[in-house]
Amino acid sequence: MILSKIFSFLSSSRLMALLFVSFAVSMAAGTFVESEYNTDTARIWVYNAWWFELIMVLFVFNFVGNISKYRLLRKEKWATLLLHLSFILIIVGAGVTRYLSYEGVMPIREGETATTIYSDKAYVTALVDGNYQGEPRRRTFEKGLYLSPVTSNKFTLDGFFNETTFEVTYKDFIMNAVETITEDESGVYYLKMVESGDGTRHEHYLKEGEVQNIHNILYAFNKETEGAINIIKKDNEYFIKAPFEGDYMRMADQAKGKVAADSLQVLNLRSLYNMANTSFVFPEFAKKGKKTYVSNNDFKDKKTDDVLVVNLTANGETKELTLVGSAGKQGIPQSVTIGDLDYTVFFGSKLYELPFALKLDDFIADKYPGTEKRYAAFKSKLELIDKAQNKPQ
């Protein structure tokens, strides 16, 4: 009796009407959320929400129930049957895509070949290294995430290695984070640097006593390192010693000078230096403080990295990690040692290795007639390469 009532409800026209109205309202809400915020926020609130998935499941039960209730498995009802089967196939296909497949992007420059895809979803990945039965071993744990500053982002990634348990828990999320230094006399010195090693402007803070790798060039601040561009602060004077030859231009009066390789020279602040195919400038004196991150509050910005702050707990000890990364790129790993285990945690896209390679032979951008910046269409000429036989297909 109860099953009969449930079946009657699932196959009722009232439920179908309610589902279509709910689906339309949900899609409209998702569109507005995506327009106001971003795609990840819309996924969290609407598209990946449990209630939206429940609507899809009820749709399938309703269509199947209607096929049985109205006896659509008849020749004269083939058109209506086909309509119902089409909806079922679409929903089931969407479910397969949602739970069994993955989406991603493959960045390829013209003339280059790529074999990996970056997932469109960001992952928190923890690598745990230690000894197991006398041999070094590694275990990998990961969790896919959609994050937004206007939603609840709480999550837990836990696991174990050789009977030692650990967990990574959420603490804070900073969307499109920009580095800044909060002045603090108990902190260390940071020197601001603006560079354009990849053709676009980036700001960095060099920490005293450390070496940083920025676009494959080493920069060291008060830690003289062979092969690095060394910036040395003595009292209130600044010096530069680089393994490369270069030049600089002082912005105030356009005066120019040369930089000799492996020579200690006075560093000119607010001067544009050019060496090793990169340009950089130090706009101000070093500040004593602590590095923090603030959001630029631009939901549409897809170029700036996010920051995820997590707590790693193991053996009764908790350490805070600041993970820089985002979907579409690999994150910057942070490593800590707790007890006998080494933990490496990072936040960014998961890499999928393809069984074939793609080469971008030509990228064509068609502009609208009479315009220079507005594009009508984009086309790519790709070459599919069989990795096993190493030849085009």
Side-chain angles (χ1 to χ4, degrees), residues 55-67:
I55 291 175
M56 300 296 103
V57 173
L58 289 177
F59 259 131
V60 172
F61 280 114
N62 186 260
F63 288 129
V64 172
N66 282 336
I67 291 175

Side-chain angles (χ1 to χ4, degrees), residues 106-324:
M106 176 186 280
I108 315 176
R109 292 185 178 273
E110 196 172 70
E112 293 184 353
T113 302
T115 61
T116 55
I117 288 180
Y118 291 84
S119 66
D120 74 323
K121 179 191 293 185
Y123 286 79
V124 172
T125 304
L127 308 177
V128 187
D129 295 280
N131 288 321
Y132 179 72
Q133 296 182 350
E135 295 184 1
R137 290 287 187 268
R138 165 176 285 182
R139 293 199 66 187
T140 302
F141 305 86
E142 61 185 22
K143 187 178 186 67
L145 299 172
Y146 288 115
L147 302 170
S148 172
V150 295
T151 63
S152 175
N153 300 310
K154 291 184 179 180
F155 70 88
T156 298
L157 171 64
D158 53 23
F160 66 92
F161 185 100
N162 195 19
E163 299 183 355
T164 299
T165 60
F166 77 94
E167 66 175 13
V168 178
T169 55
Y170 171 84
K171 183 174 182 181
D172 193 17
F173 173 69
I174 305 170
M175 176 193 67
N176 300 329
V178 179
E179 275 186 349
T180 186
I181 299 299
T182 302
E183 293 193 47
D184 187 339
E185 285 302 316
S186 64
V188 298
Y189 278 105
Y190 286 90
L191 181 62
K192 182 178 180 179
M193 181 182 76
V194 181
E195 58 82 28
S196 57
D198 64 350
T200 56
R201 182 183 185 276
H202 299 281
E203 293 184 0
H204 305 273
Y205 287 92
L206 305 183
K207 185 179 181 180
E208 185 178 28
E210 290 189 357
V211 181
Q212 288 182 231
N213 186 333
I214 302 174
H215 303 305
N216 297 319
I217 297 178
L218 298 179
Y219 296 85
F221 179 34
N222 274 2
K223 184 179 182 179
E224 193 162 339
T225 303
E226 185 177 353
I229 297 176
N230 291 280
I231 308 300
I232 302 164
K233 177 182 179 295
K234 294 181 179 179
D235 298 324
N236 290 323
E237 293 185 292
Y238 292 82
F239 302 89
I240 183 171
K241 183 179 180 182
F244 321 103
E245 293 183 347
D247 56 61
Y248 67 88
M249 182 185 70
R250 202 161 51 210
M251 296 181 181
D253 55 9
Q254 306 297 302
K256 297 181 179 181
K258 296 289 185 180
V259 179
D262 298 316
S263 174
L264 187 66
Q265 298 178 231
V266 174
L267 174 69
N268 292 280
L269 298 178
R270 294 177 289 279
S271 297
L272 182 64
Y273 282 81
N274 295 284
M275 62 178 67
N277 297 318
T278 189
S279 300
F280 57 87
V281 59
F282 296 96
E284 58 191 34
F285 292 102
K287 290 192 287 189
K288 202 171 189 180
K290 296 180 179 178
K291 182 187 292 185
T292 57
Y293 292 92
V294 295
S295 174
N296 64 11
N297 294 318
D298 183 358
F299 280 88
K300 306 304 179 185
D301 183 2
K302 296 183 179 180
K303 297 180 180 179
T304 308
D305 286 336
D306 301 321
V307 165
L308 177 64
V309 184
V310 298
N311 287 325
L312 173 62
T313 303
N315 287 335
E317 185 179 350
T318 298
K319 292 191 177 182
E320 182 181 299
L321 300 176
T322 300
L323 310 177
V324 180

